[in-house]
Amino acid sequence: MKEISENEGTVESVAKMILKSKYLVAFTGAGISTESGISDFRGKDGIWTRKDKGLPPKQGKHFDEAEPNTAHLALLTLQELGILKFLISQNVDNLHLKSGILPELLTELHGNYSIMKCLDCDARYKKSEIGWDCDEHGRGFRTEPSQENEPKCPKCNGRIISSIVNFNDSMPEKEMLLSREHSLKCDLMLVIGSSLSVNPAAFFPRMAHDNGAEIVIINIDSTKMDKLADTRIYEKAGVFMEQVVQRIKKFKVI
Ligand code: APR
Ligand code: ZN
């Protein structure tokens, strides 16, 4: 039985915090995509949770088949209303871009499965754009040997690899700088579907908090930073965020 925490929020209270905010930033993790059929890592049925029990990952949807859910679409609405100023995501499933979130208002800290990058000039390319075929060329991870016939960078002929950041890979510099900039600018951060267990990504909600921003954590299970939260929501992100945006639309009478 979950104990009711004193900072537990409601649709109404979170909608009011969002409307009052001057610079709202959202920070998302794998939990925002479970309602799209993609497993998370440390939730009750997560990939690492099951692995620790000696179980294989739950059969989820492949990224190609998954569609954005109501939580992704709620963030898009907040962006379209001019309320959500920036989005920092740890997810590689491409669902924020697929939902219509503007690429220039998003950082994907751990990369994006559908995007390749040049090791030499850091140019980014959609797999389809440069003819990268995983069946023929493999996953393109930096730690794997390059293939004879794999596509090269059209700009500088450098080696192309997956943009996904694996453990022990260095973090993408541009994304880290942008995430830091917006974490320090925000006065409210919505942290949605992350256990906040992995650094340096989890530094950003802490950075925002230490810089005086209010923190709302929307997460079914407890997280490593629940104590930082001004408001804590234990609901499913898709259900809760859809209600919040409906409430905001009523307040704004649009
Ligand atoms: N609504 C709200 N919370 C949810 C939902 C949901 N529908 N589904 C799952 N959650 C919560 C889980 O309770 C869990 O605490 O989302 C959280 C997801 O946490 P993780 O699985 O640890 O995912 P994340 O925080 O994104 O992991 C960070 O770890 O393995 C690496 O690179 C990987 O980017 C990933 C990083
Ligand atoms: Zn290049």
Side-chain angles (χ1 to χ4, degrees):
M1 176 63 180
K2 165 178 76 53
E3 73 287 351
I4 297 287
S5 56
E6 76 288 342
N7 60 353
E8 191 145 356
T10 63
V11 167
E12 186 88 4
S13 67
V14 170
K16 283 193 179 135
M17 290 171 85
I18 291 172
L19 280 169
K20 192 170 59 59
S21 70
K22 300 264 177 309
Y23 203 93
L24 172 66
V25 169
F27 177 93
T28 64
I32 199 172
S33 298
T34 54
E35 291 164 76
S36 297
I38 295 177
S39 292
D40 63 10
F41 298 96
R42 299 171 188 83
K44 294 215 177 0
D45 238 350
I47 296 168
W48 305 148
T49 312
R50 289 175 63 89
K51 189 169 181 211
D52 293 347
K53 294 176 192 164
L55 296 169
K58 218 169 139 211
Q59 198 49 42
K61 276 202 179 146
H62 188 278
F63 292 156
D64 288 340
E65 298 142 22
E67 289 301 324
N69 63 56
T70 44
H72 296 101
L73 297 174
L75 290 179
L76 174 67
T77 303
L78 290 176
Q79 184 177 86
E80 288 169 341
L81 289 173
I83 299 174
L84 178 69
K85 308 294 186 198
F86 200 78
L87 174 50
I88 303 167
S89 186
Q90 302 170 93
N91 300 341
V92 301
D93 57 30
N94 193 44
L95 287 181
H96 284 308
L97 289 174
K98 209 171 192 178
S99 74
I101 284 285
L102 296 173
E104 60 272 23
L105 297 181
L106 166 70
T107 56
E108 292 175 306
L109 287 170
H110 296 154
N112 178 318
Y113 88 101
S114 69
I115 294 175
M116 306 300 283
K117 70 177 181 186
C118 172
L119 257 185
D120 295 346
C121 72
D122 204 35
R124 305 292 159 111
Y125 303 100
K126 287 198 86 50
K127 282 181 178 156
S128 47
E129 216 181 322
I130 51 163
W132 187 282
D133 174 348
C134 288
D135 297 335
E136 192 184 340
H137 306 121
R139 296 177 301 179
F141 288 163
R142 184 182 52 79
T143 48
E144 293 169 355
S146 58
Q147 314 267 337
E148 251 319 273
N149 64 342
E150 72 185 29
K152 293 272 180 260
C153 174
K155 279 207 188 103
C156 74
N157 204 35
R159 183 185 174 195
I160 295 277
I161 61 166
S162 166
S163 66
I164 290 182
V165 179
N166 288 302
F167 288 112
N168 302 327
D169 280 348
S170 51
M171 290 296 280
E173 194 186 342
K174 188 168 100 356
E175 282 76 1
M176 289 294 284
L177 290 173
L178 270 173
S179 301
R180 181 175 187 282
E181 177 195 338
H182 293 281
S183 296
L184 292 175
K185 265 170 108 174
C186 77
D187 59 345
L188 176 62
M189 184 177 273
L190 289 184
V191 179
I192 307 175
S194 179
S195 61
L196 295 172
S197 337
V198 170
N199 289 322
F203 286 163
F204 295 113
R206 177 173 298 281
M207 197 185 282
H209 168 269
D210 293 353
N211 196 42
E214 284 190 296
I215 305 292
V216 175
I217 296 181
I218 301 163
N219 207 69
I220 296 179
D221 299 312
S222 62
T223 77
K224 289 259 167 40
M225 293 191 189
D226 283 348
K227 287 199 178 45
L228 293 192
D230 297 273
T231 294
R232 190 61 181 82
I233 305 291
Y234 291 90
E235 310 291 332
K236 288 180 106 178
V239 174
F240 185 78
M241 284 305 294
E242 188 174 32
Q243 291 170 349
V244 166
V245 165
Q246 275 160 7
R247 196 72 196 87
I248 286 174
K249 283 181 175 172
K250 276 210 197 93
F251 277 134
K252 282 181 90 86
V253 196
I254 45 176

